[in-house]
Amino acid sequence: MSNNFRTTNSNGLINKDKKINFTFNGTIYHGYEGDTLASALIANGVHLVGRSFKYHRPRGFLGVGVEEPNAMVQLHDGNKSEPNIIATEVELVEGLKAKSQNCWPSVQFDIGEINNVLNRFFPAGFYYKTFMWPKSFWMKIYEPFIRKAAGMGKAPLLPDPDRYEHNYEHCDVLVVGSGPSGLASALAAAKNGARVILAEDKPNFGGSLLTDEVTIGNMSGKEWASDTISQLKSMPNVILKKRSQVFGYYDHNMTVMIERVRDHIENPSKYTPRQRLHYIRAGEVIVSTGSIERPISFGNNDRPGIVLASAAKEYMKVYETLVGKKPIIFTNNDTAYSTALEFIKNDIEPIIVDTRDSSNGELVKEVQQKGISIKFNSGIADTKGHLKINSAIIGKLDSSKESFISEETVECDCICMSGGWTPTVHLSSQAGNKLKFNDDIDAFVPDKKRQKETAIGAANGSFTLNQSLAEGFQVGFDLSNKFTDQNNPTNSPNSNEPSYEKHEKLWCMPLPSGKKPKRFIDFQNDVAVSDVELAIREGFRSIEHVKRYTTLGMAGDQGKTSNLNGLQYVSKIEKKIVPEVGHTTFRPPYTPVTIGAIVGREVGNHYLPTRKSPIHTWHEENNAVFVAAGLWQRPRYYPRGSEDMNSAVNREAANVRKNVGICDVTTLGKIDIKGPDAPEFLNRVYTNAWLKLPVGKARYGVMLREDGMVFDDGTTSRLSENHFHMTTTTAQAANVLSHLEYYLQVVWPDLDVNVLSTTEQWSGIAVAGPKSRDLLSKLFPDVDMSNEGLPFMGLVDSSIDGIKARIYRISFSGELAYEVNVESNYGLYMWKKIMEVGQSFDIQPYGTEALSTLRIEMGHVAGAELDGRTIPFDVGLNSMVSQKKDFIGKRSLSKDAFTESDRQTIVGLVPLDKKTKIPEGSHIIEDNSAVAPIPKLGHVSSSCWSVEYNNPFSIAIIKDGKNKIGKNLYAVSPLKDISIPVEVVSSHYVDPEGSRVRS
Amino acid sequence: MLEIKCPYCGKRSQNEFSYGGDATIKRPQLGEEISTEDWDNFVYYRDNPRGKHSELWHHVSGCRQWFKVSRDTATHEIFDTCKMNEDFNV
């Protein structure tokens, strides 16, 4: 295929020396370096790109940038496939593959187009009206049907192979948009010494200066832009970012920008990220985002070949591409005449249709001087051409401009339309700016700002170059002066551009005589003038309701070209002025953002940080299966040979009961507590008494929240008079520290206490089982490990090989047990040492599963019981509650609901058949044959296989638990269709007297 | 994302902090006789004002200090921040 639609001049920004091959719908085409997918397709004469959302109408290009509503394609294949990409935003690279969306079997012949023929059955609100009844049809028939019909492209099902990065930036002044006002403000701010970031969405800086015939100083607009960019590039206080869209404006001047880093590079290096998300906290934000041209609604105004006049001009001037060779220019204002002049420069004579009665603008005169006649007081009534426009019906308007008096058919291959300009106020509005309606330009402009944001240039409704530059230099200087003391203003150069006459307030053409073609307002969502009329006829008054009923402005383009035309039409029907109708809310993102960019590098293993104990490598080498405990990776069990989990866990747990086991408990939270008021503080934090704990002793403690619920438990020991070592559960370690800091800093600042997390400074190793004493006596021959020398809840310091160790006699397993703590770096050494000495005592490592089994059998509570809904009484910890002193949460415990005697309390459960395991979370009921709703007595919190009795055992929390012991109940799990007859027993299933820990 | 000035460290992004609720709530004295209603007011009931609000924040991923923030709950404007033993200037 050849590039038949290229201009002969080469003043644009493409490099015709570098050919680039690409594929569209299976056909290979070529374009040039600097092309977008859109410009390359147009250059090859391809306008039909896709099918519309609802009616499957053939669609082509309307715009040239982010405003494009129609030309969405699916890019690439396989795991790089990406749907709904706007072809005007895709830079051409060698081998690019794109295809049409929303059509079957092909974009030329699409079965779905039947919807277009049947369009009178699909008005606005069609779904609300049609799929209401019968109700039972919704899930099985309507919903799947709508789901299939909805959506455009196809989301890839494979993981995204690309790398995305996040970056945090700070600057004094962020300038969004590099048109004349943006460049001026960036230059003024930078010259005044401020730290400036200039962001431009397109691959080239300059904005309208790249397409407008203007002069600034003694340079053309384009030259001035490139000169200004060179100046900015040379300044160390400036960051220039192209291909970068600032899409969101959040609180406290936090803006978010997406940078397209890699997709335009032919052979990127392996580690180049595809996109980069920049969080920019700016002192001041200058919104110089320019404006977007508005379409005009007329019959069949959506055919391929109907484009915005400004887009046609940019295709010619930047991409050296002709949207057509028989153009009609259709306008209600002067700016479209610059497009006409550009066609004339390329030896193409356009037909010009102008709704106004006349215009004396300089561009209009220039066109007339070239001998082109202008059809004033005229409009386009309708168009023809199925897959591409081939003719237009031009009508002469009557004096009211409500109907046509005569109509003629004119051949054409494109229509370049202009309905005037809409300032791009999205960022200002997102920042909280209350917009006001500017009657001169018939559009909303920023007004009352809430954040440090200033709109300038066309985004502020200042449509002349002189105004734009003056605002840019002034605002750039004024704002930068807040950050520097250089007081160095830059003067605005003289500029020259043609004068423009005013536009006409006319954005919707009358219908042609005897016909009712669709006149589209929102192309992407297929919303036509008739849909807006219907919504208002049916009583929708608020613009927000009209929007939702018709879906006007709700597509991926967020109504960039359609919102204001919709508003204008509503205000016309309602006979209200636009500001009374109001506008819908602008929300981020301004343009679609990939999920990959939002997620950044936080994927896979990097989704969360991973915490590993210093003994982790040993666990890995010894076949441990790991489990996540919060951020920690903990050994779950250590299978031997072909052992499954159950047999490994039973073996490990049984070995603790019989011989001795070793478990890595490094993950337990540890907090160092120091200060003269430390005992008093602990006395307030824990429910039990702490003032008289002797030095060298540990004590089990329970802490509550103020609402009386158990918050955490653990063992805390007194190392010296004013020095304590607290341990917390693994899960609550961070929360307990914040809790302690809160009470010390906010509630009782008079207490002289300091707390510090030492979780990562200590490595803890539990040694549990009847042989643990013999093992440790051998390892630490200097320490008297006897019951008298180191009694239960005692602690002693010792060392081996010069490594200091602190040995606690504490037990979670309910066996005779110790916990050896060493400095983290020696954790692995100590573990290996204990394993080595332990060989002769039949030592085995045990993981978290066996740890659970051991504590469940003993009735020791853990997170499943301390779930934020239990008070000490409920979980058998009432003896821990001091009656003599006050503590956090105590007052709650005397509230009525907390003193009822039949509260749900902790019990044990054993299945009657001694075989069936009871799933955790099962409900406990009394009568298995009762009719629903069956009263629920409680639930199963923890389950295990008792290695002591060789049958299943569970802990449950049930109503009036104490008085249910000995009764038979049912554990039911309706989800699993399980009902298990169980006997209620004491939660202390093994060694209820606690003799083993004291042996 | 808010930008919060920690009275100890200076301006930092919100993701370094955690929110700690109404700063004007005073915990009853230890051992104080208190009616269930007053206790419930302390534990559960909070005003939910639109506008200026004194609140606690914790510089969790920073200096770990609790401090006070005067913030507009509607606009998120932060008027002032101060240490626990100080009062707001505005």
Side-chain angles (χ1 to χ4, degrees), chain B residues 37-80:
Chain B
E37 193 185 342
D38 288 347
W39 180 256
D40 284 348
N41 275 333
F42 157 65
V43 176
Y44 299 106
Y45 291 92
R46 295 292 181 269
D47 291 333
N48 184 18
R50 180 188 169 86
K52 213 172 199 180
H53 187 229
S54 295
E55 49 202 30
L56 294 173
W57 286 77
H58 189 201
H59 199 180
V60 148
S61 303
C63 64
R64 296 208 62 96
Q65 293 298 304
W66 288 85
F67 60 95
K68 292 191 281 189
V69 175
S70 173
R71 182 179 67 102
D72 190 309
T73 58
T75 65
H76 298 315
E77 182 181 352
I78 291 179
F79 306 104
D80 199 8

Side-chain angles (χ1 to χ4, degrees), chain A residues 30 60 125 159 180 183 235 301 336 464 538 541 641 675 680 729 795 804 828 915 965 968:
Chain A
H30 80 260
L183 287 176
M235 299 166 91
N301 61 337
T464 69
E538 295 194 346
R541 287 293 176 275
E680 171 62 22
T729 59
L795 66 98
K804 286 184 195 162
L828 181 58
K915 275 186 217 152
I965 289 176
N968 289 355

Side-chain angles (χ1 to χ4, degrees), chain A residues 235-255:
Chain A
M235 299 166 91
N237 52 331
V238 178
I239 296 174
L240 293 172
K241 284 282 178 195
K242 48 189 179 185
R243 301 186 175 89
S244 296
Q245 181 75 262
V246 177
F247 64 80
Y249 199 130
Y250 302 89
D251 287 310
H252 296 185
N253 265 31
M254 167 64 86
T255 59

